[in-house]
Amino acid sequence: MKKVVVGLSGGVDSSTAAAILHNQGYEVVGLTLWLMKGKGQCCSEGMIDAAYICEQLGIPHQVVDIREVFQTNIVDYLVSGYSAGITPLPCSQCNKTVKFAPMVQYAREQLGCDRIATGHYAKISYNEASKRYELLRAVDRNKDQSYFLYDLSQDLLAATVFPLGELNKTDTRRIAAEYNLKTADKPESQDLCLVESNGSMRAFLDKYLAPKKGDIVDGDGKVLGQHDGVHHYTIGQRKGLGIAAAEPLYVIGLDAVNNKVIVGDRTLATEPECTVQRVNWVSMAQPSTPIRAEVQIRYRSNPVPATIIPLEDSRVRLVFDEPQFSITPGQAAVWYEGEKVLGGGIIEQFS
């Protein structure tokens, strides 16, 4: 019997993934990572629901305390980024360094198992010609999470199973109901776990960053209003600026050094290109010449055509066919060839 370790958050997706594999004859071990204190889908009550699911399925359930890793790699990472005037994306970082890598290590070292599974909506295939594992979009494009998984290594992809990749959310809930899983009707998580735990990103950041009043200025340096911390703003933001103007204004820059929020019209928040750092080439080897692909600069943004130009030090330049609004430093840019994730990285600060 093949053994697989399934990451259980206590939600319907991971619960159904475990039930599917168990029904297929796998020897399933449920594993919940204790990430932080307080409420949130993957902690506290999530642990209770995960344990209940394991009891329902008749499989063992183990909990690993990984709070220190989460604090260093996610909480400290977010606080440092926001204080520097960028908007970090925690999910891809969390998937690689907090979830998948520790899960694979635990499975191999503690359970003698080489396979893990999660409830993510994505697919993995192996390309015999290139001898690489390829990351693909899920069938359900509304739930597809490949954008957040671009940073997974070949070793992690080789060890991972995504049972929900061929399903849509309706299928998942139907299967959960067929197995009488407690989580079949559990409400879906609507935001980041840190946001759910603290009520809002602002509330989370205010626990770590003290208010620091400064000026909201236009591109010429004219003071238009006041703010209480650059960490409360992000590129492209329009609402909540607290200033009156004849035309809509957007955040076009965050000057953390001088504690200024810079605003302007929509055209000034639009850029023809950007550079990306910490690039991971997922489904292909790093190219030596420019390639064409479709790029997403946010999770919910539409993929747009662009040229990807390789640079030194795991960086690329993205040149878009049409200028893009709200290219946000700290967020991920992920490029695709059809359904295949070619690579991705973190958008750098504009010079």
Side-chain angles (χ1 to χ4, degrees), residues 24-335:
Q24 290 175 349
Y26 282 85
E27 180 186 348
V28 177
V29 177
L31 176 63
T32 300
L33 302 175
W34 185 7
L35 303 181
M36 60 181 178
K37 295 181 179 179
K39 63 182 180 180
Q41 188 165 15
C42 54
C43 301
S44 298
E45 67 266 21
M47 287 189 193
I48 297 173
D49 286 343
Y52 191 94
I53 291 299
C54 289
E55 184 175 342
Q56 274 192 286
L57 296 175
I59 63 175
H61 180 231
Q62 302 193 20
V63 176
V64 175
D65 186 345
I66 202 166
R67 287 176 295 171
E68 289 188 10
V69 176
F70 185 79
Q71 177 72 35
T72 300
N73 286 276
I74 304 304
V75 176
D76 294 350
Y77 171 71
L78 279 174
V79 172
S80 174
Y82 273 100
S83 67
I86 68 172
T87 307
L89 178 72
C91 296
S92 56
Q93 170 105 345
C94 187
N95 281 329
K96 180 179 180 180
T97 64
V98 178
K99 294 180 179 177
F100 285 74
M103 280 179 62
V104 169
Q105 182 180 4
Y106 186 84
R108 289 172 176 169
E109 295 180 358
Q110 303 298 323
L111 302 174
C113 171
D114 281 327
R115 304 292 277 175
I116 68 165
T118 72
H120 285 88
Y121 287 84
K123 298 190 293 183
I124 298 171
S125 67
Y126 183 72
N127 188 319
E128 287 287 353
S130 65
K131 304 299 182 186
R132 292 181 72 91
Y133 288 89
E134 297 179 341
L135 177 64
L136 309 173
R137 289 190 187 276
V139 167
D140 188 341
R141 288 292 292 267
N142 289 324
K143 290 296 298 177
D144 172 54
Q145 294 169 297
S146 60
Y147 172 86
F148 296 118
L149 300 168
Y150 78 86
D151 208 21
L152 297 184
S153 66
Q154 284 289 298
D155 179 60
L156 293 178
L157 288 176
T160 299
V161 179
F162 292 135
L164 307 187
E166 299 285 349
L167 305 178
N168 59 44
K169 187 71 179 197
T170 303
D171 293 329
T172 298
R173 289 203 181 273
R174 174 181 54 78
I175 293 170
E178 289 174 356
Y179 288 127
N180 295 315
L181 299 181
K182 178 186 178 183
T183 54
D185 295 320
K186 186 173 181 177
E188 192 164 3
S189 175
Q190 296 298 315
D191 220 323
L192 298 174
C193 59
L194 288 170
V195 172
E196 286 196 337
S197 178
N198 291 274
S200 68
M201 180 58 75
R202 185 187 186 99
F204 161 71
L205 291 171
D206 284 347
K207 290 170 57 176
Y208 297 91
L209 298 172
K212 187 178 181 182
K213 290 190 176 298
D215 294 330
I216 299 176
V217 301
D218 63 16
D220 296 323
K222 179 182 177 181
V223 177
L224 303 178
Q226 300 290 308
H227 67 79
D228 59 357
V230 296
H231 57 279
H232 291 147
Y233 299 83
T234 187
I235 300 297
Q237 179 178 334
R238 177 184 172 185
K239 296 181 179 180
L241 301 183
I243 53 178
E247 59 183 359
L249 295 177
Y250 301 81
V251 176
I252 63 172
L254 296 172
D255 184 351
V257 174
N258 296 302
N259 195 30
K260 293 181 179 180
V261 175
I262 307 164
V263 298
D265 64 33
R266 186 181 176 90
T267 60
L268 296 176
T270 303
E271 298 286 345
E273 62 179 70
C274 67
T275 54
V276 177
Q277 64 179 336
R278 291 168 46 193
V279 169
N280 180 51
W281 292 94
V282 189
S283 303
M284 63 177 290
Q286 178 177 335
S288 57
T289 57
I291 65 169
R292 295 282 294 169
E294 292 188 316
V295 180
Q296 280 184 233
I297 57 172
R298 287 177 298 279
Y299 174 46
R300 288 301 184 187
S301 68
N302 292 321
V304 295
T307 300
I308 295 93
I309 304 170
L311 305 174
E312 295 181 347
D313 301 323
S314 299
R315 296 168 68 244
V316 302
R317 176 179 293 112
L318 304 181
V319 181
F320 300 98
D321 288 12
E322 296 182 5
Q324 296 298 302
F325 173 71
S326 186
I327 301 176
T328 307
Q331 294 290 290
V334 180
W335 40 99

